Amino acid sequence: MGPASNDSGTDERVTVLTFDLEEQRYCVRAESVASVLSLTDDAPLADASDPWDAGTTAVAGERVRIVDLPRAFGSTLRTAARVDEPKLLVFDATDDDGRYYAWLVDDVDVTRTVRTAVLEPPTVRTTYVKGELELDGAAVVWLDERTIHES
């Protein structure tokens, strides 16, 4: 599993999974996502004091730590009007307590294969973003799941 950036000057083909948060499109390496689930009741997450550790749930008998990305990346730390059925991106990585990570997102789209050579540096300096690219005429922010899970 090699890095998905072109820091070394290589041009790799990487499959990414696109998803939405509010009005922005994001992506992450598809190979790091174990499953995508619908979340019918996100009310317990609304009261979490820390969106980076908004609670846990059980998925297939495993404990999953939820990162509330709409609150963590949104314009405010409060829960804005949520979509009716947000999604959970469950990752194959675990924290120090053995819990898997999951990101709460508004909607999940499709996987796409992209070339790392088209990745532009982020417009805002942050460790969570690998870069930006264009898909179907729209800007997409590529998130680095490893740095987010270290938060």
Side-chain angles (χ1 to χ4, degrees):
M1 169 163 89
S5 69
N6 61 351
D7 293 340
S8 64
T10 63
D11 183 14
E12 297 178 62
R13 295 183 70 78
V14 177
T15 302
V16 295
L17 177 65
T18 57
F19 61 93
D20 297 326
L21 289 177
E22 296 179 347
E23 302 298 317
Q24 178 65 52
R25 169 83 29 115
Y26 293 88
C27 71
V28 68
R29 287 180 316 119
E31 69 182 28
S32 66
V33 178
S35 63
V36 177
L37 306 170
S38 290
L39 186 65
T40 55
D41 182 16
D42 63 345
L45 305 177
D47 295 328
S49 60
D50 181 2
W52 297 99
D53 191 0
T56 60
T57 190
V59 176
E62 298 288 344
R63 291 185 314 141
V64 177
R65 171 185 165 185
I66 300 174
V67 177
D68 189 344
L69 280 191
R71 286 180 53 212
F73 283 17
S75 54
T76 66
L77 286 179
R78 65 178 176 75
T79 304
R82 296 241 200 227
V83 296
D84 288 339
E85 287 192 31
K87 305 289 189 256
L88 276 181
L89 298 180
V90 181
F91 290 84
D92 59 7
T94 59
D95 67 10
D96 293 338
D97 295 326
R99 298 177 299 179
Y100 287 87
Y101 290 97
W103 296 354
L104 183 69
V105 301
D106 291 345
D107 195 23
V108 177
D109 198 15
V110 297
T111 58
R112 303 282 299 269
T113 300
V114 298
R115 293 178 32 238
T116 56
V118 302
L119 194 61
E120 297 291 330
T123 55
V124 176
R125 191 76 179 140
T126 174
T127 59
Y128 304 132
V129 175
K130 284 183 180 253
E132 298 173 1
L133 55 111
E134 187 176 304
L135 292 175
D136 299 329
V140 178
V141 177
W142 188 334
L143 296 180
D144 184 347
E145 74 279 358
R146 288 170 281 200
T147 59
I148 290 175
H149 296 162
E150 292 170 1
S151 294

